[in-house]
Amino acid sequence: MVSIADVTATPGPDLLTPDNCAVLFVDHQPQMFFGTGSGDRTAIINATVGLARAARTFDVPVVLSTVAAESFSGPLLPQLADVFPERKPVDRTSMNAWEDRDFVEAVKATGRRKLVIAGLWTEVCVVLPALSALAQGYEVYVVTDASGGVSPQAHEHAVQRMVQAGAVPVTWVQVLLELQRDWARTETYAAVTDVVKEYGGAYGLGIVYAQAVIGAHAAG
């Protein structure tokens, strides 16, 4: 039992920070989007790019991966590739990215133990590496709105399976705000609010309104 006297204003170790996590984007490709039926595909694209912009804003290490890009699934989502023009995706033949040596080496090279994962489809290309990473001691956070399955049931059951194994479900806005965590962090304030205004839907419009009415430094 924790003594009240020992309680301090200190963030918990489970929180994501720019220094303790890496973001993995798995198989956000045309052919995979064609088969996605768990939710609005435009919304998934929006969430994916919003997550990418969040990672870029905080200089979080990123691993991009595709499956059979030249023979079946097509190139990486252009909007995602545009956020990381200097980064080449790891292309694989395996459905489970964690069975691809180059992918795993790229993840290991980040030096991070907390992995934030998003991809298509949830029930294959997300759940398989998520379970594999968990089995090897990683902490896994699944960005559910930047992922999609072939049906609502497939997506939901895959998320449930990962949660039962120890993964934590999150959304892209949750990741963005957890990385910021304090509106007094002026070095990333403007960039974060720009991401929210562009990809945050009604929340973004709220910031536009607040900044127009209250002033440029209205907090999110």
Side-chain angles (χ1 to χ4, degrees):
M1 182 178 295
V2 177
S3 169
I4 294 297
D6 296 329
V7 175
T8 61
T10 306
D14 290 336
L15 298 185
L16 297 171
T17 73
D19 299 322
N20 71 10
C21 68
V23 182
L24 316 181
F25 293 91
V26 184
D27 304 350
H28 290 93
Q29 300 166 260
Q31 188 64 246
M32 307 307 291
F33 272 106
F34 296 158
T36 298
S38 60
D40 180 73
R41 286 173 287 190
T42 300
I44 296 173
I45 292 173
N46 182 80
T48 300
V49 182
L51 178 64
R53 288 281 301 276
R56 188 82 192 192
T57 296
F58 290 95
D59 198 26
V60 173
V62 166
V63 177
L64 307 174
S65 188
T66 54
V67 62
E70 295 185 4
S71 60
F72 180 74
S73 300
L76 188 70
L77 178 69
Q79 298 95 313
L80 176 55
D82 287 345
V83 180
F84 307 105
E86 76 290 349
R87 193 171 299 279
K88 183 179 179 180
V90 176
D91 194 45
R92 324 176 315 276
T93 59
S94 61
M95 287 182 279
N96 180 8
W98 210 264
E99 294 180 44
D100 183 90
R101 181 176 299 176
D102 291 339
F103 179 85
V104 173
E105 289 301 317
V107 173
K108 289 168 61 178
T110 69
R112 308 296 171 86
R113 301 297 299 186
K114 295 181 186 290
L115 304 181
V116 179
I117 302 179
L120 305 176
W121 299 316
T122 320
E123 67 271 25
V124 182
C125 300
V126 177
V127 73
L128 298 182
L131 295 179
S132 300
L134 285 165
Q136 295 194 26
Y138 283 89
E139 299 175 49
V140 174
Y141 299 76
V142 181
V143 189
T144 58
D145 56 351
S147 304
V150 298
S151 69
Q153 293 88 349
H155 177 75
E156 178 185 351
H157 294 167
V159 172
Q160 289 177 352
R161 183 181 179 188
M162 288 184 282
V163 168
Q164 289 172 357
V168 179
V170 293
T171 65
W172 82 266
V173 170
Q174 181 179 350
V175 173
L176 173 70
L177 299 185
E178 195 162 324
L179 293 174
Q180 175 69 19
R181 218 167 58 242
D182 188 340
W183 292 118
R185 291 177 176 162
T186 56
E187 64 273 17
T188 51
Y189 176 90
V192 166
T193 53
D194 283 346
V195 172
V196 172
K197 285 187 286 187
E198 188 167 357
Y199 301 100
Y203 175 28
L205 287 176
I207 291 181
V208 171
Y209 174 81
Q211 291 182 338
V213 175
I214 302 172
H217 298 291

